[in-house]
Amino acid sequence: MMKIHWNYLTAIARKDLLEVRQNRAAWLPMLIVPLIFILVLPLATIFIPSAMGATSETLTQDADLEVFLANMPPSFKESLEGLEPVALMVKVMLGYFMAPMFLIFPIMFSTIIAAESFAGERERKTLEALLYTAASDLELFLGKVLAAMLPALGLSWGSFLLYTVVLNAAGYNLFGGLWFPLATWWPLIFWISPGLALLGTSATVLISAKTPTFMGAYQSSASLVIVVIGFLVGQATGVLYLSVGVGMIIGLGVWIIAAVLTGVAVGSFQRSRLLVQAAN
C-alpha cells in the first residue's frame, strides 16, 4: 500500500486555500449567497407578515404551500398544531420548506474552491511547478480534495449555526422560546452535506484538471446544484419530504455516489497528462 505523506497533503491544501483567498471571484459568492439565505430571507419571512397583520387565509394562498401542507407527513403536521398563523407559516417556510436550499452550500463552497485547484493553477502558470514536486499523484489529488472539502464543510456548518441563531433570536417572541433546529435538519447538515461536499469536490477537481480556466471548471461543476433543486421541487410538490428517515436514506445514496466518483477520479488522475497540458 502506498504511503501517504501528510506533510505534502497539508502543504498543497494550505497553498490552495491561500490562492482562493486572493481570488475575489472565488470567495465573494461564498459570502453573498449565504447572507441572503441566513439573514435576508429569514428576517423578511418573520417580520414582514407580522408587520402587515397577515391572516391565515392570506398566508396559505400560495399554491406550492397549499400542496406542501396538504401532503406533509403526520409527524410534520403534529409539529404545527396550536401555532398562530404567522408562526405556522414561519415554521413551514423556514423550518421545512427551506431545508433543501441549505444543501446548496456544501456543493457551492466545494466547487468554488476545487475549481481553483488545477484550472486556477493553469491560469496562473503555476501548475507545472506543482507537478514537479515530490508529492505523488494520490497526494496531489487528495491535497486538492482536502483543500476544498474541509472549508466547504466548515462554512456550511457555520452557516447552519448562524441560521439557527437568527431564527431563534428573531422568532423568540413569535414562538415563545427556542424552536430551531428541527429534527429533520440533523441528517441534512451532518450526513447529506458532507457527502455532497465530497461529491462536489471530487467532480470539480476532476473537471478542473481538464478545463483550462477557473470559470470554465466552476460553471461545469455548478450543474451539481440540479441535485438540490430536485430535492426542493420534490418537497414543494409533495412528492418527497425530507424527514429524518428519508434524509438518512438519501445521504447513504449520496455517499455511495461520492465514493464511486472519488475512486474514478483518483484512478483517472494522471500527472503526465497534466504536464503536457501545462507545457502547451
Side-chain angles (χ1 to χ4, degrees):
M1 183 176 180
M2 180 183 296
K3 180 181 178 180
I4 296 177
H5 298 86
W6 290 99
N7 57 327
Y8 293 160
L9 280 178
T10 55
I12 293 169
R14 284 196 300 268
K15 180 187 68 65
D16 274 18
L17 291 175
L18 177 62
E19 289 168 348
V20 169
R21 190 176 66 181
Q22 296 172 343
N23 186 347
R24 181 176 297 183
W27 58 258
L28 198 57
M30 293 193 290
L31 295 179
I32 296 176
V33 175
L35 286 177
I36 294 173
F37 285 107
I38 294 169
L39 292 177
V40 178
L41 289 179
L43 294 178
T45 303
I46 292 173
F47 291 119
I48 291 179
S50 299
M52 295 178 62
T55 64
S56 59
E57 289 77 14
T58 59
L59 291 173
T60 57
Q61 282 180 350
D62 180 79
D64 290 337
L65 186 58
E66 289 179 353
V67 172
F68 185 86
L69 290 171
N71 297 326
M72 63 171 24
S75 60
F76 284 27
K77 292 181 179 179
E78 290 175 5
S79 70
L80 302 176
E81 292 179 356
L83 293 178
E84 295 296 325
V86 175
L88 184 147
M89 185 274 297
V90 168
K91 192 168 187 177
V92 169
M93 295 300 296
L94 301 180
Y96 292 117
F97 203 75
M98 282 286 293
M101 297 301 295
F102 262 72
L103 297 179
I104 289 177
F105 292 167
I107 293 180
M108 182 185 73
F109 296 150
S110 62
T111 53
I112 288 175
I113 299 173
E116 256 285 326
S117 58
F118 296 109
E121 297 268 12
R122 189 179 292 112
E123 283 188 297
R124 293 185 298 273
K125 309 298 183 183
T126 59
L127 178 59
E128 190 169 3
L130 176 66
L131 296 175
Y132 279 119
T133 61
S136 66
D137 288 2
L138 180 60
E139 289 162 352
L140 279 173
F141 183 86
L142 293 180
K144 297 289 187 181
V145 169
L146 186 68
M149 185 173 177
L150 293 184
L153 282 180
L155 290 168
S156 298
W157 291 342
S159 299
F160 170 66
L161 177 60
L162 183 57
Y163 187 72
T164 299
V165 172
V166 170
L167 261 58
N168 284 317
Y172 191 86
N173 291 332
L174 188 62
F175 289 91
L178 305 179
W179 67 278
F180 189 85
L182 307 178
T184 54
W185 282 73
W186 299 119
L188 292 181
I189 300 300
F190 296 106
W191 176 234
I192 300 178
S193 287
L196 287 175
L198 178 60
L199 177 63
T201 300
S202 296
T204 309
V205 169
L206 187 60
I207 291 170
S208 65
K210 302 177 180 180
T211 304
T213 64
F214 160 73
M215 290 305 299
Y218 175 55
Q219 290 169 359
S220 297
S221 57
S223 59
L224 292 171
V225 174
I226 294 175
V227 176
V228 177
I229 294 175
F231 292 153
L232 181 63
V233 172
Q235 187 156 262
T237 57
V239 174
L240 175 68
Y241 286 88
L242 295 176
S243 62
V244 174
V246 171
M248 295 300 293
I249 294 172
I250 290 176
L252 179 60
V254 169
W255 274 104
I256 291 173
I257 296 172
V260 171
L261 181 61
T262 302
V264 171
V266 171
S268 61
F269 182 78
Q270 296 180 7
R271 183 192 302 245
S272 57
R273 181 186 301 171
L274 292 173
L275 280 171
V276 172
Q277 293 174 351
N280 294 332

